[in-house]
Amino acid sequence: MTEVALLGIRHHGPGSARAVAAALTQWQPDAVLIEGPPEADDIVHLAAGKDLVPPVALLAHAVDDPARAAFWPYAEFSPEWVAIRHGVEHGLPVHFIDLPAGYGFEPLTGADGTGGAGGPAADPLALLAEAAGYDDPERWWEDVIEHRAPGEDALAPFAAVAEAMGALRAEGLGESRRDRLREAHMRQRIRAARRAGHRRIAVVCGAFHVPALAAMPTVAHDRALLAELPKKVRADITWIPWTHRRLSQSTGYGAGVQSPGWYHHLFTTTGDPVPRWLTRAAELLRAEDHPVSSAHVIEAVRLAETLAVLRGRPLAGLTETLDAVRAVLCEGSEVALELVRDRLVVGDELGEVPDAAPTVPLQRDLARLQRSLRLKPAAAPRDLDLDLRQDTDAARSRLLHRLRLLGIEWGVPARSSVASTGTFRESWRLCWQPEFSVRIAEAAQWGTTVEEAAGNKAVGTARAAGELAELTGLVETCLLAGLSDALPAVMRVLTDCAALDTDVAHLAGALPALVRALRYGDVRGTDHGALAEAAAGLAERVCVGLPPACVGLDAESAAAMRVRIDEVHGAIGLLASAGGGTADPAADADGPGTPGGPEAAEGAPDRVGPAGLADRWAAALRSLAAREPSGGPATGAPGLLRGRAVRLLLDDGRLDSEQAGRRLRLVLSVASAPADAAGWVEGFLTGGGALLLHDPRLLALLDEWLTGVSGEVFTDVLPLLRRTFAGLEAGVRTTIGGRVAAGPLGAPPAASETAGELDRERAEAAVPVVALLLGVRPRIPRQTTGRDT
């Protein structure tokens, strides 16, 4: 006669895990059946060694479409993991009895398109907690299960839970069609274990399923249910590392466990867990420079226990413990409490998987690179500074860039903690996420190694790209990732696309990324001849097409074009300096008919070397600055862009302050529309208003125009002016306001008062201190006398 022990558990519950361990030890089954995908039967033996360290998860994905995946996560405190370990350590057959993973990638809906539940399924724990007078199902479960040690009869708690679940299901608790199919398959697997000759079978499953497994219908009934299943998808399955933080998420691939770090502590700690946990909290806070002593810990323990008594709980739970931490250890600080929640209540524990676990070749190559480059995956975020002049750091950089190209954001660029602006240094923020295993399986279609997969993905992305800026960004990524084999193919696509694209905005948006890529050639040893030629060609086309492309733009398009003009200005500066070009003084003349006038921008030769790019760009800016709207806004360039062009020419020394003042005086005259003038001022002052302080004449012109604007017009231009001056530095705004309030801006500055006599004795007393600060030997100057003279 076969005996079956149905151990109904709550997934990821430490109390259930302890109860399962006690029940299996007492009952001594000869087979263990666990709720989970049957495809994992072939890899469950890996749990016997010490290399499979929880938290881990079973990952199943469709062979033909790895993006269709499902996870079954297990922590050390998961009852299923306890059952797995008991089975493999005692040499027992361990089988998973849920529906195969091939049925889990699509929703199993009923004929009406719903899950067949007739409404949303209720939470059984919430119903039981409400019946017991609790308003929080988590607190009820902690009091009833988590805080109670197994008694003499280890099977008694499971019988009580089964009775409660049976009563709920008898009352018509919503059951989905998927639940009925799963339970039919579980019953079939139990029958198969009986036929295999097992006499004592332990079944570990969710408590909700226990009543359906206890009342065995006929075999024909279950076969008829399972005949409704759709065609099974062929799937592969393996073990992958998991994290406590992922367990705490209730959406996506999470399990909805709100406090995995706390549950891990409850399961692994013998005796009273509260004092030990509060000691860990104190250590964490002290490490973050919070003044916490042993007296704080003692008082916090007392407070947690007192709160549990006042609230009628058998032991202090997480709520009481956190209240004690907030009041005593954190002294009411929510910031410090959030640190405890993040590090201890949730935690960043990351599991480990043995090399023998099935993986795709791409995953094995990545693991090899991680070992050789000493980059161990970790769930906790950490910063990594790389010096690209070192071979190991350069290889790390290439790996991280290649993974980003494959959609695996293990590392993201971060602001460097080292004060350096050189291109030889990179900073990254590393954080490994469990779902990267799915993305690795998806990326396996591109190749068997990281380099091969990234190169093939780059070529495929280039051929499918629709915009020029996307291609230039891809070229930059290929250069950073060291994909020399893929770069020529991407460059061919870029050249063809650039030849067909006539939109100046697209060309301007594509140029900066291409020029940035040239900067990395010296450090990474890349041949960038083709890049330089393509960048120079784009730059020339932008110089020729920019002025007419800016005519008639609306406010939104003008703002976007201003950003592109700034980016192109910096890119051409880098490109010209890389080519050794210098400015042509003859091109700086201001006026029509000269080499620097508008005709030079639109009628220049087709191709010039890098030496002339700066002059070509300056000519384009002068042409843009001269395109005033003579017959309405649609006949000229917006004031925002004209003002920006003048400011860039002024900053480059191609206009002096007198010329800039003359242009400002013209645009602020009564002949110009106030809105256009306000836009011109915004473009002129973008990036810094310190020039108004250095040249009082410009500030006086602006003040004179502003005070002369009528009240109706002032209301219209006020938003533009507020936005303009809000972008200035706080110190500049304060100084401008002070000068305006001091009186007429056109008056010459008042002569400063004559300084008094130098008190040499007091000055010499400070010399040793200043010398000490500067690290030099103090030298007191000798007083000059008439004889010395």
Side-chain angles (χ1 to χ4, degrees):
M1 186 66 181
T2 302
E3 297 181 78
V4 178
L6 299 175
L7 308 181
I9 50 95
R10 185 191 186 192
H11 302 293
H12 311 295
S16 292
R18 283 193 299 267
V20 166
L24 294 177
T25 301
Q26 174 183 312
W27 204 60
Q28 296 183 355
D30 59 3
V32 179
L33 307 183
I34 302 171
E35 178 183 333
E39 292 94 335
D41 286 356
D42 296 334
I43 59 174
V44 72
H45 67 277
L46 295 174
K50 296 182 179 180
D51 295 332
L52 189 63
V53 181
V56 292
L58 289 169
L59 163 63
H61 63 84
V63 175
D64 298 333
D65 185 7
R68 301 164 64 190
F71 297 88
W72 288 263
Y74 303 112
E76 189 172 356
F77 51 83
S78 300
E80 299 94 332
W81 179 257
V82 171
I84 291 172
R85 291 287 298 175
H86 179 91
V88 297
E89 288 177 356
H90 291 79
L92 305 178
V94 178
H95 300 289
F96 292 94
I97 62 174
D98 207 341
L99 276 177
Y103 294 120
F105 303 133
E106 300 293 342
L108 299 177
T109 57
D112 58 353
T114 67
D123 181 7
L125 292 184
L127 295 176
L128 292 174
E130 183 180 359
Y134 283 75
D135 58 357
D136 183 2
E138 293 286 337
R139 188 156 51 89
W140 173 80
W141 183 263
E142 277 192 352
D143 290 349
V144 174
I145 300 296
E146 306 300 345
H147 292 165
R148 299 186 182 276
E152 294 183 1
D153 185 2
L155 298 178
F158 296 103
V161 171
E163 182 181 358
M165 291 297 170
L168 288 176
R169 298 192 69 157
E171 291 293 328
L173 182 67
E175 300 173 7
S176 67
R177 176 172 179 262
R178 182 177 183 83
D179 285 331
R180 292 193 293 271
L181 291 171
R182 293 175 62 200
E183 290 161 356
H185 192 270
M186 292 180 192
R187 291 191 291 264
Q188 290 287 70
R189 297 281 289 180
I190 293 174
R191 294 186 183 105
R194 285 174 171 171
R195 291 194 299 270
H198 299 298
R199 293 293 176 260
R200 297 173 68 85
I201 303 172
V203 180
V204 180
C205 63
F208 181 77
H209 303 297
V210 169
L213 301 184
M216 281 277 191
T218 62
V219 176
H221 174 273
D222 288 341
R223 285 179 177 173
L225 275 177
L226 296 175
E228 302 174 6
L229 286 171
K231 182 180 179 181
K232 184 171 71 170
V233 177
R234 192 162 64 94
D236 285 340
I237 196 166
T238 186
W239 290 104
I240 64 169
W242 207 249
T243 66
H244 278 175
R245 191 168 302 279
R246 184 60 64 186
L247 282 172
S248 67
Q249 298 182 4
S250 56
T251 58
Y253 303 131
V257 181
Q258 299 178 1
S259 50
W262 169 257
Y263 278 0
H264 181 269
H265 178 77
L266 290 181
F267 183 72
T268 57
T269 302
T270 58
D272 190 353
V274 174
R276 295 179 180 272
W277 196 83
L278 288 173
T279 301
R280 294 177 58 201
E283 292 175 353
L284 172 63
L285 292 173
R286 279 198 296 268
E288 298 294 331
D289 295 331
H290 290 273
V292 179
S293 66
S294 57
H296 286 83
V297 176
I298 295 172
E299 189 60 32
V301 172
R302 291 174 180 172
L303 179 57
E305 293 174 348
T306 302
L307 289 174
V309 173
L310 292 175
R311 295 169 181 175
R313 306 194 66 182
L315 289 173
L318 180 60
T319 302
E320 289 74 27
T321 306
L322 287 180
D323 287 344
V325 170
R326 178 193 290 109
V328 181
L329 302 186
C330 300
E331 297 180 347
S333 171
E334 290 294 333
V335 176
L337 181 64
E338 188 59 34
L339 177 67
V340 175
R341 284 198 183 102
D342 183 70
R343 300 281 185 85
L344 296 184
V345 178
V346 177
D348 289 309
E349 194 75 18
L350 177 66
E352 298 179 7
V353 173
D355 295 336
T359 57
V360 294
L362 181 62
Q363 174 71 66
R364 290 194 292 270
D365 184 62
L366 175 58
R368 177 187 62 80
L369 292 172
Q370 288 171 337
R371 288 191 299 268
S372 63
L373 298 177
R374 299 186 298 278
L375 281 177
K376 184 177 181 180
R382 68 184 183 96
D383 293 329
L384 178 67
D385 289 324
L386 300 179
D387 185 346
L388 302 182
R389 297 168 297 184
Q390 306 296 326
D391 293 341
T392 300
D393 282 357
R396 290 172 174 174
S397 173
R398 289 193 294 270
L399 173 62
L400 294 174
H401 281 294
R402 290 169 182 175
L403 291 178
R404 293 194 75 205
L405 185 58
L406 293 172
I408 304 168
E409 300 280 343
W410 177 24
V412 295
R415 182 181 296 273
S416 176
S417 58
V418 180
S420 173
T421 58
T423 57
F424 62 86
R425 188 174 298 279
E426 279 185 352
S427 293
W428 296 82
R429 169 62 62 90
L430 303 183
C431 183
W432 185 264
Q433 301 292 340
E435 56 266 30
F436 290 162
S437 299
V438 178
R439 298 179 189 174
I440 292 172
E442 292 181 62
Q445 62 179 308
W446 297 105
T448 58
T449 66
V450 175
E451 181 178 4
E452 179 188 5
N456 292 336
K457 175 71 178 297
V459 175
T461 303
R463 291 171 178 170
E467 295 186 359
L468 189 59
E470 183 179 357
L471 283 170
T472 55
L474 188 60
V475 168
E476 182 182 11
T477 301
C478 288
L479 197 64
L480 297 173
L483 301 176
S484 56
D485 293 338
L487 189 59
V490 177
M491 285 298 303
R492 284 194 296 271
V493 179
L494 171 65
T495 304
D496 295 342
C497 184
L500 298 176
D501 200 330
T502 59
D503 191 328
V504 174
H506 291 171
L507 298 176
L511 179 61
L514 204 57
V515 174
R516 281 196 307 269
L518 289 171
R519 301 182 65 198
Y520 302 107
D522 295 336
V523 174
R524 300 172 187 269
T526 305
D527 181 13
H528 50 70
L531 289 178
E533 183 178 355
L538 282 181
E540 293 170 22
R541 294 177 61 188
V542 170
C543 291
V544 173
L546 178 66
C550 294
V551 175
L553 296 180
D554 57 18
E556 184 177 356
S557 300
M561 184 62 77
R562 184 195 64 76
V563 175
R564 291 193 177 98
I565 289 175
D566 285 346
E567 293 176 346
V568 171
H569 183 73
I572 289 182
L574 288 173
L575 194 61
S577 62
T582 58
D584 182 6
D588 294 340
D590 191 12
T594 65
E599 294 81 354
E602 299 176 12
D606 291 338
R607 180 62 58 91
V608 296
L613 279 178
D615 296 332
R616 294 286 297 272
W617 175 243
L621 291 178
R622 278 191 293 272
S623 177
L624 173 60
R627 290 181 179 265
E628 299 182 359
S630 57
T635 61
L640 176 69
L641 301 183
R642 302 196 327 270
R644 191 61 191 151
V646 172
R647 175 60 185 274
L648 294 176
L649 290 170
L650 178 63
D651 289 346
D652 279 357
R654 296 178 180 270
L655 287 180
D656 56 31
S657 59
E658 183 177 352
Q659 293 171 325
R662 185 171 67 250
R663 290 178 178 270
L664 178 60
R665 187 179 301 107
L666 290 174
V667 81
L668 297 182
S669 65
V670 293
S672 299
D676 183 73
W680 198 99
V681 171
E682 180 183 1
F684 186 69
L685 295 182
T686 297
L691 60 90
L692 294 179
L693 304 179
H694 298 309
D695 194 339
R697 292 173 299 174
L698 298 180
L699 182 57
L701 287 173
L702 183 60
D703 180 64
E704 181 182 356
W705 169 78
L706 189 57
T707 55
V709 172
S710 64
E712 296 81 3
V713 175
F714 181 78
T715 303
D716 295 334
V717 301
L718 180 60
L720 289 175
L721 295 174
R722 287 179 61 91
R723 183 174 62 193
T724 300
F725 282 89
L728 303 181
E729 302 88 340
V732 172
R733 293 200 304 268
T734 302
T735 307
I736 290 176
R739 290 193 179 181
V740 172
L745 293 173
S752 57
E753 298 181 2
T754 305
E757 284 292 330
L758 174 65
D759 189 338
R760 185 173 299 276
E761 183 179 354
R762 296 179 61 188
E764 291 177 353
V767 169
V769 177
V770 175
L772 180 62
L773 294 175
L774 297 178
V776 298
R777 295 183 59 185
R779 178 177 177 272
I780 301 177
R782 186 162 54 93
Q783 185 173 357
T784 304
T785 65
R787 183 177 181 180
D788 295 329
T789 304

